[in-house]
Amino acid sequence: MKKEKYSEKNKNRVDLVRFPFLSETILQQSFFIDYERNEKITTQLEKLTNLFIILEGKARIIQQEPNGKSLILQFLESGDFIGELTVVQAEESPKDVVAIGKVRCLAIPLAIVAKHLWKTAEFPQFIAQYIGKKLLLRMEHFSNAQTFELKYRLAALLLEVAVDDQYTENNTQIADYLGTSYRHLTHTFKYLRENGYITKKQVGYLINPEKLRQLIQLGNDS
């Protein structure tokens, strides 16, 4: 993890058009934090101290079950928040959020969120809309599990989580996330591999994004 204070030298890392609520006062008290692959951004074992905005990279949200099992709840990408449910007091402690590849976040201390961010004209509505859209995406995820064949859903997931066209996720967790058996998932990976959508590597798969998009379109049209 590498932490760097916001300054004039690095201010171009933040898209103020995308995040209009980030005033100079708020940014001057915020940090850029870079995470390496598989590094935890937040953990269930530690109290949340910052609201994070992912500026670059991808991450996964993990729920640690009492029986020791780890479940993927959602995948995050550039523009997503981490800790927003804690900020709106919908949950007391954060989930484990783990970097997929390199991730850069803007970290806004919660004290600054309370003192400045909530008082802006844009942030309350922005965060409410964001949480609402995430809920709709979650509903769509479960709906797709009932209406689309696994090969189409897996193709979409590969495009979503691959970093530099490399897929390296834990397939046991992915089977749970997609609502299927590990055996069915393995057979579907075999289908994709035999038809040139992916190539087996020593660790994970190299994906063919163009062919996967064509497959997804075929599923949408059928």
Side-chain angles (χ1 to χ4, degrees), residues 68-130:
K69 192 173 184 178
S70 299
L71 298 176
I72 297 175
L73 299 182
Q74 199 168 16
F75 290 98
L76 303 175
E77 60 185 6
S78 174
D80 279 324
F81 288 83
I82 300 172
E84 75 283 357
L85 294 181
T86 302
V87 166
V88 300
Q89 300 181 356
E91 65 178 7
E92 293 183 4
S93 58
K95 305 289 190 298
D96 288 351
V97 180
V98 183
I100 304 174
K102 293 185 177 182
V103 173
R104 170 169 291 164
C105 294
L106 178 70
I108 309 171
L110 293 187
I112 303 305
V113 174
K115 184 177 180 181
H116 296 290
L117 202 52
W118 273 117
K119 296 177 182 178
T120 65
E122 300 90 351
F123 182 71
Q125 182 178 7
F126 190 101
I127 201 69
Q129 289 178 342
Y130 173 82

Side-chain angles (χ1 to χ4, degrees), residues 5 27 36 59 72 83-84 90 99 101 109 120 131 135-136 140 162 167 175 184 189 199 215:
K5 193 86 171 68
L27 289 170
E36 297 297 322
I72 297 175
E84 75 283 357
T120 65
I131 293 172
L135 176 60
L136 292 175
E140 183 180 351
Y167 166 88
H184 191 189
F189 267 114
T199 303
L215 179 61

Side-chain angles (χ1 to χ4, degrees), residues 14-187:
V14 183
D15 184 352
L16 296 181
V17 174
R18 193 176 190 184
F19 307 110
F21 49 83
L22 293 175
S23 66
E24 192 68 19
T25 299
I26 293 168
L27 289 170
Q28 288 289 349
Q29 300 173 83
S30 302
F31 299 86
F32 294 109
I33 306 181
D34 292 341
Y35 297 90
E36 297 297 322
R37 177 176 178 267
N38 287 334
E39 193 171 1
K40 286 187 177 181
I41 300 171
T42 62
T43 173
Q44 290 180 229
L45 301 177
E46 296 179 6
K47 186 177 180 180
L48 190 74
T49 56
N50 298 295
L51 173 67
F52 296 90
I53 303 175
I54 298 179
L55 302 178
E56 298 176 20
K58 302 176 182 180
R60 67 180 80 86
I61 303 176
I62 301 290
Q63 172 71 52
Q64 302 294 344
E65 296 295 299
N67 61 6
K69 192 173 184 178
S70 299
L71 298 176
I72 297 175
L73 299 182
Q74 199 168 16
F75 290 98
L76 303 175
E77 60 185 6
S78 174
D80 279 324
F81 288 83
I82 300 172
E84 75 283 357
L85 294 181
T86 302
V87 166
V88 300
Q89 300 181 356
E91 65 178 7
E92 293 183 4
S93 58
K95 305 289 190 298
D96 288 351
V97 180
V98 183
I100 304 174
K102 293 185 177 182
V103 173
R104 170 169 291 164
C105 294
L106 178 70
I108 309 171
L110 293 187
I112 303 305
V113 174
K115 184 177 180 181
H116 296 290
L117 202 52
W118 273 117
K119 296 177 182 178
T120 65
E122 300 90 351
F123 182 71
Q125 182 178 7
F126 190 101
I127 201 69
Q129 289 178 342
Y130 173 82
I131 293 172
K133 289 175 182 177
K134 281 295 177 182
L135 176 60
L136 292 175
L137 285 174
R138 194 69 182 146
M139 292 169 63
E140 183 180 351
H141 170 78
F142 288 115
S143 175
N144 288 343
Q146 300 177 34
T147 57
F148 284 92
E149 285 185 55
L150 181 60
K151 63 182 179 182
Y152 302 125
R153 293 188 287 123
L154 179 56
L157 180 133
L158 291 172
L159 288 172
E160 180 181 4
V161 305
V163 176
D164 297 328
D165 294 340
Q166 298 280 344
Y167 166 88
T168 57
E169 293 297 307
N170 180 312
N171 284 343
T172 300
Q173 293 179 344
I174 292 298
D176 288 335
Y177 179 74
L178 291 175
T180 189
S181 68
Y182 183 83
R183 182 179 180 184
H184 191 189
L185 181 67
T186 301
H187 283 307

